[in-house]
Amino acid sequence: MAGARNLLILILLLMLHAHCPQGAKILTICLVGGSHYLLMDDVSRILQDNGHEVRMFRQIGDGTLPGYKMPSTPYPVSTYSLDEKTLKEFDKFFTEYQKEFFMGKAGFQFFINLMNVFANQCRISMNQTDILDFLKKEQYDIAIIDAFNPCTFFISEKLGIPYISIFSGNIGNAIAVGLPSPPSYVPTFASQLTDRMNFMERLKNTLMYIGSYIAENSVQAIFNDIAERHFPADSRPSLSDLYHKAELWIYNVDFSIEFARPLLPHILCIGGLRAKPANPVSQDLEDYIAESAESGFIMVTLGSMLSSIPRMDLVKEINSAFAKIPQKVIWRYKASDWPEGLEVAPNVRLLDWVAQNDLLGHPKIRLLVTHGGMNSMMEAVYHGVPVLGIPLFGDQFNNLIRVKAKRMGEYIPATEIMAENFADAIRNIVGNKSYKTSVMKQSVILRSHPFPPDKQLLGWVEHIIQSGGGGHLRPYSYQQPWYQQFLLDVILFLSACVAAIIYLILRVMRGLIHFIFSNRKQKQN
Ligand SMILES: *[C@@H]1O[C@H](CO)[C@@H](O)[C@H](O)[C@H]1NC(C)=O
């Protein structure tokens, strides 16, 4: 008896072990630098630190983390570098656009051009047969990919591994993912609207909602030739198929920032992976901050990709705005790019790189001046720091509209910044307690989430590996033709029925009237 029981326990233990995802082989794929890399690095670390075997596949050389000293990683990395010519092209592309960002010209055309650059890079990435063959032989259980560059989907598909998409911004690609987004209260990406819309705004939102299907199609078409070259005709995926195939979509956002909206079972909002309790800042900075006494300090960062401002007039205005305020200013700005002959305001210190999360957690911080990237927004909310935004490109307008709608701060487009109004905006936010109160409220929402972001990430990744994929979470709508999904066939049928009934009623009434009138005529006659 006892022997049989022990055997049973042994078998159970073995079964449990077989299902235990400890030591799963996970490939993270990151083809974009800057904040995208920082987020994917955190994701890789969390999984590696929890007993999984992680490797990152990374494209290097886009030079978009100026000033950042890359620490060594606890997981191995497979890298390849783009060739000189492509790197130069990218550099030129990004430098030219930096000016445009600060002129307020970085709309849809920028996005299309960026996707063209990504597609060019992808044609090279997909040709890295040595690395791809090696990765294929490794037989990963799952890939975790930075979804912003669509090439990561083609690479996972080529390697034949299931994948989880990480989207580093807010839910701006809902249409591509097939996420229900009723235009009555879900603002379309780039609409600059909130969830509360009057009639005209809902009209605008609806038109933009329809337009974004067309826009999405034109973006995806850029990658068509890559699918054609690298996949046989009978198993050739479209980008849209690949978006729908992801086991999970994980967004780097939280409802402390995002407006409440419908999700699907495999769409997760896990915001704040990079927001952590602060480490002490360096003694040197601590001394500098101490000089500010009760006024405190403000921090200025315009994103991991931008270490300077290519518009001298704007630097001048911002610098003289800082000279007017009592706070100390810690400004991430590459000192060697500072305009010649311009004196840095006495209360300003320029640094090539800042430990943003640590400074945001400092008790004396009063304000974050930011471009509005999602990592920064989540860190500001986590630490309860009000925000003054200078939105430049991508999802930054979207993010800052949410910040403003939730009263956590304000924003000024770069084209409208003058020393006077910029200083006023700072004084207003720092002096008005309501911003701090609101952001503290949102901070409690983020921090009291029932499960911390790293636990959510780990738990969900393991769930997908254990359950053999996210098929049980994906809605059937993904397989429906669009006219069925939007019930156009049913609506058409019902409309036809209503029309037929109305027609019949009219016919009968006409018949009756005819009958009555002809009766009368007969009587009169
Ligand atoms: C990729 O490889 C193919 C075949 O070797 C070649 O014809 C093509 O030009 C390469 N593409 C790029 C962008 O290097």
Side-chain angles (χ1 to χ4, degrees):
M1 253 329 257
R5 202 165 65 206
N6 281 348
L7 191 64
L8 193 65
I9 289 172
L10 186 70
I11 290 171
L12 274 177
L13 278 176
L14 278 175
M15 278 173 65
L16 270 179
H17 186 75
H19 282 270
C20 178
Q22 278 297 315
K25 288 185 78 168
I26 300 174
L27 179 69
T28 54
I29 305 181
C30 181
L31 304 179
V32 185
S35 54
H36 293 262
Y37 168 73
L38 295 176
L39 183 66
M40 291 309 285
D41 175 47
D42 266 17
V43 167
S44 308
R45 281 169 196 269
I46 290 166
L47 297 168
Q48 173 83 14
D49 291 349
N50 283 282
H52 297 293
E53 204 184 305
V54 178
R55 175 180 289 271
M56 182 189 273
F57 176 49
R58 178 168 174 246
Q59 171 178 292
I60 48 169
D62 54 9
T64 44
L65 272 174
Y68 178 67
K69 284 194 189 59
M70 192 95 58
S72 68
T73 58
Y75 52 87
V77 184
S78 293
T79 59
Y80 71 94
S81 180
L82 299 167
D83 58 277
E84 283 295 315
K85 187 170 145 272
T86 314
L87 285 179
K88 278 219 182 85
E89 269 169 22
F90 182 79
D91 237 32
K92 190 159 158 267
F93 168 79
F94 198 68
T95 314
E96 267 169 25
Y97 260 107
Q98 279 186 33
K99 289 197 195 91
E100 307 266 302
F101 297 157
F102 288 96
M103 312 287 270
K105 288 187 227 155
F108 188 58
Q109 195 53 46
F110 164 68
F111 187 69
I112 289 281
N113 292 348
L114 180 66
M115 286 297 143
N116 272 302
V117 168
F118 282 171
N120 272 338
Q121 295 180 356
C122 192
R123 289 177 194 113
I124 299 168
S125 318
M126 293 293 279
N127 264 10
Q128 305 295 315
T129 37
D130 285 354
I131 300 186
L132 292 179
D133 285 347
F134 162 75
L135 295 176
K136 191 163 187 167
K137 281 206 200 86
E138 287 284 291
Q139 298 199 319
Y140 289 97
D141 294 309
I142 198 141
I144 303 190
I145 64 179
D146 171 24
F148 182 62
N149 183 340
C151 193
T152 55
F153 289 86
F154 287 118
I155 291 178
S156 314
E157 182 72 2
K158 185 95 181 154
L159 296 176
I161 32 182
Y163 47 89
I164 293 174
S165 311
I166 301 235
F167 201 74
S168 59
N170 65 25
I171 310 178
N173 65 344
I175 278 157
V177 177
L179 193 53
S181 306
S184 48
Y185 65 96
V186 178
T188 304
F189 185 77
S191 65
Q192 313 225 1
L193 295 166
T194 72
D195 55 348
R196 280 148 216 226
M197 295 173 256
N198 61 28
F199 174 77
M200 284 314 282
E201 289 169 335
R202 271 179 290 120
L203 182 62
K204 173 186 172 189
N205 199 42
T206 307
L207 294 176
M208 287 194 72
Y209 172 78
I210 297 167
S212 49
Y213 279 93
I214 301 163
E216 183 57 35
N217 269 339
S218 60
V219 170
Q220 293 191 4
I222 297 172
F223 292 83
N224 280 349
D225 69 292
I226 295 169
E228 268 162 39
R229 177 187 276 278
H230 291 278
F231 297 93
D234 56 339
S235 62
R236 185 172 299 149
S238 70
L239 206 42
S240 176
D241 297 333
L242 294 177
Y243 286 163
H244 288 175
K245 216 176 143 186
E247 311 296 340
L248 294 175
W249 275 89
I250 297 178
Y251 290 86
N252 177 31
V253 75
D254 179 85
F255 289 106
S256 53
I257 284 202
E258 184 57 280
F259 299 126
R261 56 157 298 148
L263 298 175
L264 289 170
H266 71 307
I267 308 283
L268 310 170
C269 292
I270 305 184
L273 280 166
R274 287 189 53 75
K276 300 174 184 115
N279 292 315
V281 302
S282 69
Q283 191 56 48
D284 174 43
L285 270 185
E286 195 62 65
D287 294 343
Y288 177 69
I289 292 169
E291 286 171 30
S292 70
E294 279 319 296
S295 309
F297 74 100
I298 73 179
M299 175 165 57
V300 189
T301 55
L302 295 182
S304 52
M305 294 186 166
L306 298 176
S307 56
S308 58
I309 299 176
R311 256 185 62 198
M312 176 150 171
D313 56 326
L314 186 60
V315 182
K316 260 188 191 153
E317 296 294 333
I318 294 179
N319 188 53
S320 36
F322 290 152
K324 295 173 196 288
I325 57 166
Q327 283 80 26
K328 293 271 177 200
V329 177
I330 296 176
W331 189 352
R332 177 179 170 238
Y333 200 109
K334 198 171 163 197
S336 54
D337 286 349
W338 188 258
E340 236 173 276
L342 179 63
E343 200 162 326
V344 181
N347 57 336
V348 170
R349 177 176 287 196
L350 305 180
L351 291 175
D352 277 6
W353 185 260
V354 290
Q356 177 166 302
N357 185 63
D358 297 339
L359 281 164
L360 282 171
H362 196 285
K364 284 214 161 161
I365 189 152
R366 300 287 180 263
L367 178 72
L368 172 66
V369 177
T370 169
H371 64 311
M374 192 45 94
N375 284 332
S376 297
M377 293 303 89
M378 292 312 305
E379 289 176 4
V381 173
Y382 181 85
H383 292 292
V385 179
V387 161
L388 174 57
I390 309 175
L392 297 173
F393 61 96
D395 63 351
Q396 297 159 11
F397 285 93
N398 264 37
N399 300 343
L400 287 165
I401 280 164
R402 282 152 182 74
V403 163
K404 186 175 160 135
K406 302 203 176 196
R407 300 276 305 143
M408 297 187 276
E410 299 283 341
Y411 61 88
I412 310 185
T415 44
E416 290 169 23
I417 292 178
M418 302 297 282
E420 216 34 78
N421 66 2
F422 200 64
D424 281 346
I426 294 173
R427 287 191 205 107
N428 170 35
I429 301 174
V430 174
N432 184 339
K433 284 274 174 298
S434 76
Y435 292 103
K436 180 74 184 173
T437 312
S438 303
V439 74
M440 286 309 288
K441 225 188 253 169
Q442 302 309 115
S443 177
V444 172
I445 292 174
L446 176 61
R447 283 173 181 246
S448 65
H449 192 283
F451 307 100
D454 52 342
K455 292 275 175 325
Q456 289 183 64
L457 174 76
L458 185 67
W460 275 103
V461 170
E462 291 180 349
H463 170 65
I464 291 299
I465 296 171
Q466 271 176 301
S467 60
H472 59 298
L473 302 172
R474 284 195 296 270
Y476 181 65
S477 64
Y478 280 3
Q479 294 161 50
Q480 278 174 314
W482 62 274
Y483 65 88
Q484 285 185 15
Q485 214 189 105
F486 290 101
L487 286 175
L488 290 190
D489 47 354
V490 174
I491 292 170
L492 204 67
F493 174 75
L494 288 180
S495 310
C497 288
V498 171
I501 291 169
I502 292 175
Y503 177 74
L504 276 179
I505 293 175
L506 287 178
R507 277 305 291 258
V508 170
M509 277 167 68
R510 236 173 84 182
L512 272 177
I513 291 168
H514 197 76
F515 178 73
I516 293 168
F517 271 88
S518 55
N519 257 1
R520 265 194 208 162
K521 256 186 199 163
Q522 261 178 7
K523 270 185 195 162
Q524 277 171 358
N525 285 349

